[in-house]
Amino acid sequence: MTLLLKLVLAPLLVVGSSLAGRRWGLGVTGLLVAMPVVAGPILLITYLEHGAAFVARAASASLLGLVSLAVFAVMFARVSRTRGWIGTLLVGWLACLALDLALSFAPVPVWVALGLALAAAWAGIRLLPEPREAGPVTLPWWDLPARAVATAGLVVALTATAGRLGPDLTGVLAPFPTGTSVVAVFAHAQGGPPAAAATVRGVLRGLGGFSAFCFLVAVLVEPIGGWAFVVAVAGTVVWQFADSCRSFGK
């Protein structure tokens, strides 16, 4: 069952986000991939394999991992202006991993972690380069299958090591930019720096809902078990809807 979740759920969510982006723009792809389409399945699989207490601690640590994800988004957008997708990805991953490792040794109360995650998202949007319009892109037939395979590989690799990493490191790595890396790399390779920046801008906009998800799992999974994930998904959708309405109102 857990292997099926690893191989199917997160890749399907990334493919769905990519299809929505083709219809409504790259920013929507980034927004949806931060809902959270990869960390959610990772935390759910961790819950099924290691129990409520483990995943409660991991979900709290995931809020700190969102700080690293915001750093990755900013680095990717800025470095992509001067480097190809491979160099951009490596720089972003190194920065993200270094911060993840540092944060895993400095656990904080869940409320503080929530505040740090929201502050990082707010600051990240303001540190992005000025948006530029991305040109039209012709996508190859293998685009969506490649995104699905890349996502599945990253999810399997991370969940396979969760038991050895412990809850704190598992948690901060759960939001590691797996789905974000896939959609950002494809955007950069196919549409250049403007497309990459538009995608990660959407990711940063979506970190509020991502934060709500991790927070609700952290505080509810021990009292109500797996139902915490249902509540967390509902909370994420409500947050994103409210945020979208507020942005549209502006």
Side-chain angles (χ1 to χ4, degrees), residues 4-17 33 36-42 45 147-148 151-156 178-179:
L4 183 64
L5 287 173
K6 295 177 186 181
L7 295 177
V8 175
L9 183 54
L12 280 179
L13 291 170
V14 167
V15 168
S17 300
V33 87
V37 298
V38 175
I42 287 174
I45 292 165
R147 294 182 190 222
T151 304
L154 289 169
V155 170
V156 168
T178 48

Side-chain angles (χ1 to χ4, degrees), residues 46-203:
T46 302
Y47 167 70
L48 294 173
E49 293 180 341
H50 300 285
F54 188 103
V55 83
R57 187 169 166 183
S60 179
S62 292
L63 288 165
L64 295 178
L66 295 181
V67 177
S68 303
L69 179 54
V71 170
F72 171 86
V74 174
M75 293 288 290
F76 197 98
R78 291 193 167 275
V79 176
S80 69
R81 295 184 296 177
T82 58
R83 296 184 180 274
W85 70 265
I86 295 177
T88 300
L89 182 64
L90 288 176
V91 171
W93 274 8
L94 287 173
C96 186
L97 280 172
L99 188 54
D100 276 339
L101 290 173
L103 291 172
S104 70
F105 292 106
V108 297
V110 66
W111 287 96
V112 175
L114 176 63
L116 291 173
L118 294 175
W122 178 87
I125 291 175
R126 284 149 184 81
L127 290 172
L128 287 178
E130 289 297 319
R132 292 185 291 165
E133 185 175 352
V137 176
T138 301
L139 300 175
W141 65 267
W142 46 261
D143 176 73
L144 291 178
R147 294 182 190 222
V149 170
T151 304
L154 289 169
V155 170
V156 168
L158 182 56
T159 55
T161 59
R164 294 186 290 273
L165 295 176
D168 292 326
L169 191 51
T170 296
V172 295
L173 288 175
F176 185 79
T178 48
T180 299
S181 294
V182 172
V183 298
V185 162
F186 274 80
H188 183 34
Q190 295 165 351
T199 301
V200 299
R201 185 177 297 274
V203 170

